[in-house]
Amino acid sequence: MAQKGLVGPGNQRVAIVSGLRTPFAKQSSAYKSLSSLDMGIAVVAELLARSGVPASEVQQVVYGQVLPSIAAPNIAREIVLATGMPRSIEAFSVSRACATGYQSTVSVAEAIACGTIECGISGGADSSSDVPITVSKKLSTALLDASKAKTPLDQLKILSRLSAKDLVPVPPAIVEFSTGLSMGESAEKMAKENGITRADQDRLAHESHTKAAKAWADGHFAGEVMEMYVPDSKGKGTTAFVEDNLVRKDSQLESYAKLKPAFDKKYGTVTAGNSSPLTDGASALLLMREDKAKALGLRPLGYLRSYAFAALDPRGQLLMGPSYATPLALDRAGVTLADIDVLDMHEAFAAQVLSNTQAFESKQWAADKLGRADRIGEIDWTKLNPTGGSIAIGHPFAATGGRQITQTLRELGRRGKQLGLVTACAAGGLGAAMVLERE
């Protein structure tokens, strides 16, 4: 019988040979002087070095970033050129908001499955400390017109049309283009509509930090997080940065209740404490056709069994993407939620996680939204984000997918279990899910 899920010619699976990430850092802290490209170069170079796979074996690099770079828009190609890989390796960049890491991985996996390549690298990096600052439309137009003017006097006349407000820099948009709401405002809307309490949100955030702190203390992240050397505070040398600096090692549940609502100041329940923070970081995965990995004597972390992307109207509950993508991925893998041994759900906001887990368990929601007779399944809370999630670890947008995949496969290995599910919501009403498996 043919293998159920994503397989290529000869029933060859797509192997995830290894995964690695940088420590994640709070905005404007350890990586404040680094770009997404800097971090991407570092993690891909280290991934290759640790894997022992010659760079000449890599045939494709697909890498992503959500916050665009004006200087290096095709981050994937720049990584190839900067890491000493053969310049013949083709590369392209992707962006699917918070599911960018999923998209880069799927792009490589599809190429392997259809026989185009045998080996590739995926991943993503983002820096909330190095965001593109643009200028007003009037200033942009004036500068373009001035560049075409024939004399300095003509240039001066063009620039004299500008007012002081036209010179003010324009920061990146923080709201959905289609709705005018920020992600946090959307999470607040979901909390109200789904009856998600402040106490439950704070409890989930506390558990995320507690689990992540324990994972670090127990050495679980040692093999999947590299050491980064960053400029020291005096700018005269470098210092080692070895651990996520957002995890609260002494998280106390009662402390979360002291925080004020961040979006609805009067009636809100979403706070900085129960939301993922603005974060800098990068991740990368090495993927390979199963038979090639075995021929090279490699023992993969696991395999990509299935994936799914989904979308919903962003004017509704924007961050419900996991509840739409997950049943598709499970069906394609030929499994149910009850078969899943480890579930990693991206924690954009505690309200978003609790809204999705509520939907997973609701037969009525499945009937109304999915047209399905049965619910997605019951949540086993001992399997959900067992080593912490994005609220504690951080969320460098394009790097989160790679983190989730690596973290989940390694946790399956520790538990001696087979199946994992990773899923994420994303801006625009998008959702992503993957079923992963170990031998």
Side-chain angles (χ1 to χ4, degrees), residues 248-260:
R248 298 172 187 167
K249 297 182 179 179
D250 59 347
S251 179
Q252 301 295 321
L253 180 58
E254 58 272 16
S255 67
Y256 293 83
K258 300 174 183 178
L259 300 175
K260 295 181 179 179

Side-chain angles (χ1 to χ4, degrees), residues 315-367:
R315 295 171 298 179
Q317 295 199 3
L318 179 76
L319 306 176
M320 292 299 293
S323 296
Y324 288 83
T326 292
L328 297 175
L330 292 173
D331 288 350
R332 292 169 186 173
V335 300
T336 68
L337 189 64
D339 297 316
I340 297 300
D341 299 303
V342 175
L343 165 58
D344 189 312
M345 183 179 288
H346 163 49
E347 299 168 348
F349 302 89
Q352 157 260 320
V353 174
L354 294 170
S355 292
N356 277 279
T357 54
Q358 182 185 85
F360 273 38
E361 296 185 326
S362 171
K363 186 173 182 179
Q364 188 63 52
W365 191 92

Side-chain angles (χ1 to χ4, degrees), residues 41-166:
I41 290 168
V43 76
V44 170
E46 184 68 13
L47 176 78
L48 280 171
R50 292 191 183 195
S51 73
V53 174
S56 58
E57 296 286 353
V58 178
Q59 296 164 292
Q60 183 184 74
V61 174
V62 184
Y63 212 78
Q65 59 182 344
V66 176
L67 298 170
S69 169
I70 297 173
N74 188 358
I75 187 173
R77 181 58 178 163
E78 297 302 332
I79 286 172
V80 169
L81 298 176
T83 52
M85 283 191 273
R87 295 181 174 235
S88 58
I89 296 174
E90 61 99 356
F92 64 92
S93 302
V94 295
S95 180
R96 194 191 276 264
C98 301
T100 294
Y102 288 73
Q103 182 59 66
S104 63
T105 300
V106 165
S107 294
V108 174
E110 287 179 333
I112 293 172
C114 75
T116 305
I117 65 170
E118 296 180 344
C119 176
I121 290 174
S122 71
D126 264 302
S127 171
S128 294
S129 303
D130 181 33
V131 297
I133 304 296
T134 59
V135 298
S136 68
K137 182 63 178 177
K138 283 189 175 181
L139 177 55
S140 175
T141 301
L143 291 173
L144 183 61
D145 291 343
S147 69
K148 298 176 182 178
K150 295 182 178 180
T151 67
L153 182 58
D154 291 336
Q155 291 178 330
L156 187 59
K157 288 179 180 178
I158 292 169
L159 296 176
S160 68
R161 302 196 302 255
L162 298 170
S163 65
K165 68 178 183 179
D166 296 329

Side-chain angles (χ1 to χ4, degrees), residues 221-241:
F221 292 154
E224 63 195 76
V225 181
M226 65 181 285
E227 194 172 71
M228 285 284 284
Y229 286 88
V230 297
D232 61 26
S233 58
K234 297 180 180 179
K236 296 182 179 180
T238 59
T239 184
F241 180 54

Side-chain angles (χ1 to χ4, degrees), residues 3 6-15 112 288-291 294 303-304 418 437-439:
Q3 169 76 25
L6 181 68
V7 293
N11 257 12
Q12 292 299 314
R13 294 177 293 178
V14 175
I112 293 172
M288 200 174 290
R289 200 173 70 192
E290 180 179 11
D291 58 349
K294 291 179 178 178
Y303 301 88
L304 174 55
Q418 182 186 14
E437 64 179 343
R438 288 181 62 93
E439 296 288 4

